[in-house]
């Protein structure tokens, strides 16, 4: 086909690198650490059924269009949820979106022109990189370490940039990052917001995982730092979602931001989908009103923590010579840096042969990287599968790198939990 009829960005676009792994999932017996899906047995099916029955049991009005900004009752409930996390936005400062994925897309539409400069933490959430690539902006990476995005490195980058290429926004997942699993430490949170105010860029704080914490530590949202430092000039735009705490099928996300941003995003949303499904918004509203949310989140935290522990115990026992990682304190992901001698395509193929899947770290960088790393999710597989998956990973690594075998060559994690 004559591709010149497509827009410049879509002449030869590349799809999501994670979705491209889907064909491997049909392999019988495969254990996947690759997906970013929450565990279905943690969905509160009874609560959702009750909420849906309440919504569909009455008048036909529930099948009508709704306001672009979202149903007022849902905005109230989401504002309450945010306030419990320290995001002091009122209902009128929230826009309901079709997943938080749409919220970012609306920001790309309303804030960015081709050629603009955007900062992202590295490694970064691939769908964000994809949206930025399609928007034809210049993406600059800011490295992360065990304490999240390195603000000193960001400061140097900002100082070096010419005025013409000053960034318009910075994207970060500061709490239990996807993919790195890390938390941005308190001191850096304040520095990051200070830098945004000093250099005049927005921060997109993407927070789908913040409530999935394995500790009692509190992580003050960047949004709140921004409010305290700048009030109505808050440079932080807060995004969140019910996908990881209730159910992704609700496709319910939201954005908290100032009026100028929200009004423009609402206009962009009018052309995207008019409004997010009022039906699922009503189900979400009813669900949040049932009083079951906190218990469901607590259950998810306990389950994910247990799974993370089994995964990290296994990696420590079997693969400490081949990889290193920061133990996640929440969320769904573990990021591991591999031994520099690890042959990457060979490892992926060996893992597929053994029946275990991960996401290659290269998916999380905007340009080719020499860094050898992988992302593994501990959210979906059960405990026995996690143990077996780690055993398979070990066998695959041993097969491709006989020289960097650990001294405990014959160890294996006991199966059967
Ligand atoms: N941001 C991050 C960091 C994510 O990991 C995800 C889902 N994987 C999303 C946004 C999108 O979530 P949703 O659209 O389901 O709310």
């Amino acid at each position: 086909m004559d591709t010149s009829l497509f827009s410049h960005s879509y002449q030869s676009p590349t799809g999501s690198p994670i979705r491209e792994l889907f064909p491997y999932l049909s392999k019988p017996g495969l254990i996947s650490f690759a997906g970013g899906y929450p565990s279905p047995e943690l969905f509160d099916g009874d609560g959702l059924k009750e909420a849906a029955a309440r919504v569909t049991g009455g008048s036909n009005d529930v099948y009508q269009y709704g306001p672009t900004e979202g149903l007022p009752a849902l905005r109230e409930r989401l504002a309450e949820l945010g306030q419990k996390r320290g995001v002091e936005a009122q209902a009128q400062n929230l826009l309901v979106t079709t997943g938080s994925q749409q919220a970012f897309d609306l920001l790309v539409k309303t804030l960015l022109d081709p050629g603009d400069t955007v900062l992202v933490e590295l490694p970064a959430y691939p769908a964000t990189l994809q949206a930025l690539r399609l928007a034809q902006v210049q993406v600059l990476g800011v490295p992360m370490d065990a304490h999240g995005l390195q603000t000193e490195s960001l400061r140097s980058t900002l100082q070096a940039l010419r005025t013409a290429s000053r960034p318009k926004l910075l994207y970060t997942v500061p709490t239990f990052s996807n993919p790195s699993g890390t938390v941005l430490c308190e001191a850096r949170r304040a520095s990051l917001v200070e830098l945004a105010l000093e250099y005049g860029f927005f921060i997109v704080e993407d927070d789908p995982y913040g409530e999935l914490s394995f500790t009692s530590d509190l992580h003050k949202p960047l949004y709140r730092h921004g409010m305290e430092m700048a009030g109505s000039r808050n440079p932080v735009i807060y995004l969140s979602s019910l996908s990881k705490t209730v159910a992704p099928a609700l496709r319910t996300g939201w954005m908290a931001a100032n009026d100028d941003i929200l009004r423009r995003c609402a206009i962009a949303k009018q052309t995207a989908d008019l409004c997010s499904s009022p039906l699922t918004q009503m189900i979400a509203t009813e669900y949040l009103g049932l009083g079951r949310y906190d218990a469901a989140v607590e259950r998810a935290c306990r389950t994910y923590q247990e799974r993370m522990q089994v995964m990290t115990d296994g990696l420590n026992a079997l693969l400490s010579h081949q990889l290193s990682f920061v133990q996640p304190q929440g969320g769904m992901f573990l990021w591991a840096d591999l031994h520099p001698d690890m042959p990457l395509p060979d490892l992926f193929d060996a893992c597929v042969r053994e029946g275990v899947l991960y996401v290659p770290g290269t998916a999380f960088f905007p340009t080719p990287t020499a860094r050898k790393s992988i992302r593994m999710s501990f959210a979906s597989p059960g405990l026995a599968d996690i143990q077996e998956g780690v055993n398979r990973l070990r066998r695959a690594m041993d097969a491709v790198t006989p020289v960097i075998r650990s001294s405990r060559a014959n160890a294996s994690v006991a199966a059967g939990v």
Side-chain angles (χ1 to χ4, degrees), residues 18 35-38 97-104 121 124-128 171-173 176-179 206-209 239-244 247-254 332-333 375:
I18 295 180
Y37 286 9
T97 55
T98 304
S100 57
Q101 192 65 46
Q102 184 186 50
F104 187 71
E121 60 189 8
Y125 173 51
T128 291
Y171 171 86
T172 179
V173 186
F176 315 132
S177 161
N178 177 6
D206 194 5
D207 186 32
Y209 303 102
L239 310 184
S240 193
S241 169
L242 296 183
S243 289
K244 312 299 162 148
L250 293 173
R251 304 309 301 128
T252 298
W254 72 98
M332 293 172 27
F333 301 106
R375 188 198 75 175

Side-chain angles (χ1 to χ4, degrees), residues 144-197:
M144 302 171 89
D145 59 22
H147 306 290
L149 181 148
Q150 295 178 22
T151 44
E152 278 317 300
S153 166
L154 171 62
R155 186 185 298 279
S156 313
T157 302
L158 291 167
Q159 283 164 351
L161 281 177
R162 287 176 304 106
T163 318
S165 48
R166 281 279 165 81
K168 274 192 173 166
L169 67 84
L170 177 143
Y171 171 86
T172 179
V173 186
T175 312
F176 315 132
S177 161
N178 177 6
S180 73
T182 53
V183 175
L184 184 64
C185 65
E186 249 346 279
R188 288 184 183 175
R189 287 178 186 241
S191 308
L192 180 55
V193 177
E194 273 164 26
L195 286 170
L197 288 168

